[in-house]
Amino acid sequence: MTIRDLALPLIPDGDEARRWAEQELSDPAYQAAEPTPFDRMARAVGEFLGSLFSGSAPAALAPWMAVGVVLVLLAIVVLAVIVWGRPRRTVRSRGRVDLFGIDDARRADELRTASRAAADREDWEEAIALRFRALSRGLVERTVLDPAPGTTVHGFARQASAAFPAEGGALAHAADLFDDVRYLRRPGDATGYRSMVELDERLARTSPRFDTGDRDLGAEVAR
């Protein structure tokens, strides 16, 4: 064989070319590049949906395809509910909401009873604080107000004044009394307790006004 023969291109016959192609395609790099079964399924679903919404699907099959899509979506929703459960709504019970940072779920009547017991033993500070909380709890139970966490006593009094305009001054005074005995450690007395009781009783007999038509007046946090 001459040098000229070596320079000539090697041209295989048909069987040799087939054998070379099989060897080349058996390379792992080609096998790794092939689509997985998941890829094929996703492509088939995409093509199905595309044909459905593009109008290229046969007219006779289009309604059945639409039904099939709805059923598949419903099945996915049901499966998600089974796996993750139903989404939970955040619901605050109006009668159980914490008031003024105090973890006490007693109802208004229970708080009034506790307030009277404190007054009987002349613990005026406790009696005043409990009566104001009873007053506030009563308005929540009546759905007059729906205070958010962080609402202060004065913020609550301002919200209540919007529903009971004639009691705005008395509500502000009641909030001052609560602050005095609860936070400022000032002594209470029978007069302050009596004013709190009378206000609570008047509000219980009075229908609220909602000039804005909105019962959820929002929260007013400490200034």
Side-chain angles (χ1 to χ4, degrees):
M1 179 180 299
T2 65
I3 295 176
R4 182 174 178 277
D5 293 332
L6 292 174
L8 291 175
L10 182 59
I11 302 176
D13 57 18
D15 292 338
E16 186 70 13
R18 188 181 306 108
R19 186 173 63 82
W20 287 1
E22 291 174 352
Q23 291 177 349
E24 181 68 18
L25 292 176
S26 65
D27 191 320
Y30 286 95
Q31 295 178 2
E34 291 183 356
T36 64
F38 180 82
D39 294 333
R40 295 191 183 96
M41 181 183 68
R43 184 183 303 168
V45 172
E47 292 174 353
F48 166 72
L49 294 176
S51 64
L52 178 64
F53 295 106
S54 65
S56 60
L61 294 179
W64 296 106
M65 289 181 176
V67 172
V69 170
V70 172
L71 291 177
V72 170
L73 293 176
L74 288 176
I76 292 173
V77 172
V78 171
L79 180 61
V81 170
I82 292 174
V83 175
W84 292 290
R86 292 184 302 172
R88 297 179 179 178
R89 295 186 304 167
T90 302
V91 178
R92 289 188 295 130
S93 174
R94 293 181 183 270
R96 309 292 288 186
V97 64
D98 290 342
L99 290 173
F100 321 127
I102 300 172
D103 185 13
D104 186 344
R106 283 180 291 180
R107 297 183 61 82
D109 288 342
E110 296 173 310
L111 291 168
R112 291 185 182 107
T113 299
S115 176
R116 284 192 292 268
D120 289 341
R121 61 178 184 267
E122 297 187 355
D123 185 354
W124 302 119
E125 293 79 13
E126 183 72 3
I128 289 171
L130 284 171
R131 194 68 187 211
F132 186 84
R133 287 169 52 204
L135 177 157
S136 303
R137 182 76 69 188
L139 295 182
V140 172
E141 290 173 354
R142 290 169 61 189
T143 69
V144 175
L145 297 181
D146 185 16
T151 303
T152 65
V153 290
H154 285 279
F156 192 95
R158 285 191 292 272
Q159 294 175 30
S161 297
F164 303 95
E167 300 290 354
L171 283 163
H173 178 63
D176 288 338
L177 285 176
F178 181 91
D179 272 348
D180 286 346
V181 301
R182 184 72 172 81
Y183 301 114
L184 301 179
R185 305 299 182 186
R186 292 175 179 169
D189 54 30
T191 301
Y193 169 71
R194 176 49 53 188
S195 68
M196 194 78 75
V197 171
E198 292 173 352
L199 173 61
D200 185 21
E201 292 175 347
R202 287 199 306 273
L203 294 179
R205 296 191 302 265
T206 306
S207 298
R209 288 176 49 188
F210 297 101
D211 295 336
T212 61
D214 186 2
R215 287 178 173 246
D216 186 3
L217 300 176
E220 293 192 39
V221 298
R223 292 175 293 177

